[in-house]
Amino acid sequence: MINKIKYIFHYIKVFIVSSLFFILITTLLINNTLLNKNYHIKKMNINYYDDLYIEIYESIKLNTMSSGFDETIIKTYYTKDDIKSNVLEYMDYIFEDSNNISLLSIEIKIKESVKKYIRENEIKNFDEASINAYVNAVLDIYKEKITVMNIPKIIKNKISKINKIINILDITLFVVIVLLLVFNRKKIKDYIFISINMTSMIYVFTSIMIMIKIDIKHLLVITYSVSNYIRYLLATITNFLLICGIVLMLLSVVLNVLLNINKVVKNDEKCK
């Protein structure tokens, strides 16, 4: 009876260590991907700015043509570099609590382009008030697209706090795991292998379920550019989880082989 209780207690501890190991690895991944500004900036360099440029152009076009301007004037309002600069400003605003984006340079460029177009085409029905109204409408569209309708503002001031909490949690988890392994070093192999195997299986299972249950290619979220980015991000993270799971499985196999080889060598030495 006592042996059975010890056996059950042992596997409860193994399960606890495995769960803590899984949480530790997962929080590290989240902190270095979804909650990491540089990670998003790196991923955005793929297609996000190109998609956003087209989306802003298409959104401004209707307003511009209804105002009597040719749509080609829009190309003088902003560049892809302007978009990238403003997006990075907004990322700093969300992640690092800096000042919000400034659209003064864009406003000046739009006003100058509009006035030049009116002058060159001798348009008479546009006064200063009409110009300002049009410029403000275009700026509103531009800012709405850059800031994704200000939806990310919801998490402003929270990301840094979440990062700090996760960092404290990771340190605590690491210390607890190490202590549990030290106090149970006679069965350390069970703890390590079950922890690695459980984490790898969850990652592989999660990535496969995402692939099966979510139609990533046709996923629509908020806007065209954001949808494309989230689709790319989701596909990247899914593949990353799958790779992590497979790597952990291979690591478990390699460790098991090495330990068995070491055990055989020791037995051979004893026999001699």
Side-chain angles (χ1 to χ4, degrees):
M1 184 67 183
I2 295 173
N3 287 334
K4 284 185 178 180
I5 293 171
K6 285 183 178 180
Y7 187 79
I8 292 169
F9 186 62
H10 167 68
Y11 276 97
I12 288 173
K13 288 191 291 182
V14 170
F15 176 76
I16 291 170
V17 172
S18 300
S19 300
L20 294 178
F21 179 79
F22 168 74
I23 295 169
L24 174 63
I25 298 299
T26 303
T27 51
L28 284 171
L29 289 176
I30 291 171
N31 222 16
N32 288 285
T33 53
L34 297 179
L35 298 178
N36 188 308
K37 183 190 76 171
N38 293 326
Y39 176 83
H40 288 286
I41 289 172
K42 184 179 178 181
K43 297 302 178 186
M44 281 179 172
N45 280 328
I46 308 298
N47 288 312
Y48 184 71
Y49 302 115
D50 293 332
D51 291 339
L52 191 54
Y53 181 92
I54 295 168
E55 188 176 326
I56 293 172
Y57 185 95
E58 293 298 323
S59 298
I60 293 174
K61 184 167 71 173
L62 182 62
N63 195 301
T64 299
M65 294 180 73
S66 64
S67 298
F69 301 139
D70 190 277
E71 67 174 271
T72 54
I73 192 177
I74 301 172
K75 293 179 180 179
T76 64
Y77 293 171
Y78 61 90
T79 64
K80 289 178 185 177
D81 287 336
D82 290 326
I83 289 174
K84 184 173 182 178
S85 176
N86 289 139
V87 168
L88 293 180
E89 276 185 83
Y90 191 64
M91 294 283 283
D92 287 338
Y93 172 67
I94 296 299
F95 281 87
E96 298 180 5
D97 197 26
S98 63
N99 295 327
N100 205 344
I101 61 172
S102 171
L103 299 179
L104 183 60
S105 61
I106 300 295
E107 182 180 358
I108 292 170
K109 284 170 75 173
I110 296 171
K111 275 188 177 180
E112 288 178 350
S113 296
V114 170
K115 287 180 179 180
K116 182 180 178 183
Y117 185 89
I118 290 171
R119 188 169 59 251
E120 290 179 350
N121 291 275
E122 299 181 351
I123 299 174
K124 304 297 182 183
N125 59 339
F126 251 87
D127 56 16
E128 193 66 27
S130 299
I131 292 172
N132 288 335
Y134 169 76
V135 170
N136 289 334
V138 170
L139 278 174
D140 286 343
I141 294 170
Y142 182 86
K143 186 174 183 179
E144 183 182 85
K145 298 299 180 183
I146 292 291
T147 62
V148 195
M149 297 181 287
N150 248 347
I151 290 174
K153 194 176 179 181
I154 298 169
I155 59 173
K156 177 176 165 57
N157 299 327
K158 295 177 183 176
I159 292 179
S160 59
K161 293 177 182 177
I162 295 170
N163 279 329
K164 288 177 183 177
I165 291 169
I166 288 178
N167 287 333
I168 294 169
L169 177 63
D170 287 341
I171 293 170
T172 305
L173 288 172
F174 180 77
V175 171
V176 171
I177 290 169
V178 170
L179 288 174
L180 285 169
L181 291 176
V182 169
F183 289 131
N184 298 275
R185 52 188 174 275
K186 289 182 180 179
K187 295 286 185 178
I188 194 170
K189 192 171 83 169
D190 291 343
Y191 288 88
I192 293 173
F193 283 124
I194 294 175
S195 297
I196 293 174
N197 286 328
M198 189 183 89
T199 302
S200 64
M201 284 188 289
I202 292 174
Y203 283 170
V204 170
F205 177 76
T206 302
S207 60
I208 291 172
M209 289 305 294
I210 291 172
M211 292 174 186
I212 293 172
K213 296 294 184 180
I214 301 176
D215 186 4
I216 297 176
K217 288 184 179 180
H218 300 98
L219 188 67
L220 293 174
V221 182
I222 308 173
T223 64
Y224 166 77
S225 56
V226 173
S227 294
N228 278 351
Y229 177 65
I230 290 178
R231 283 197 290 265
Y232 169 72
L233 196 64
L234 189 56
T236 302
I237 291 173
T238 302
N239 290 333
F240 184 67
L241 285 177
L242 183 61
I243 291 168
C244 280
I246 293 171
V247 168
L248 286 172
M249 283 182 180
L250 292 174
L251 177 62
S252 176
V253 171
V254 170
L255 287 174
N256 194 33
V257 170
L258 290 175
L259 286 172
N260 285 329
I261 290 172
N262 187 49
K263 190 176 180 180
V264 170
V265 170
K266 284 183 177 179
N267 288 335
D268 286 344
E269 289 176 352
K270 285 180 181 179
C271 291
K272 291 179 181 179

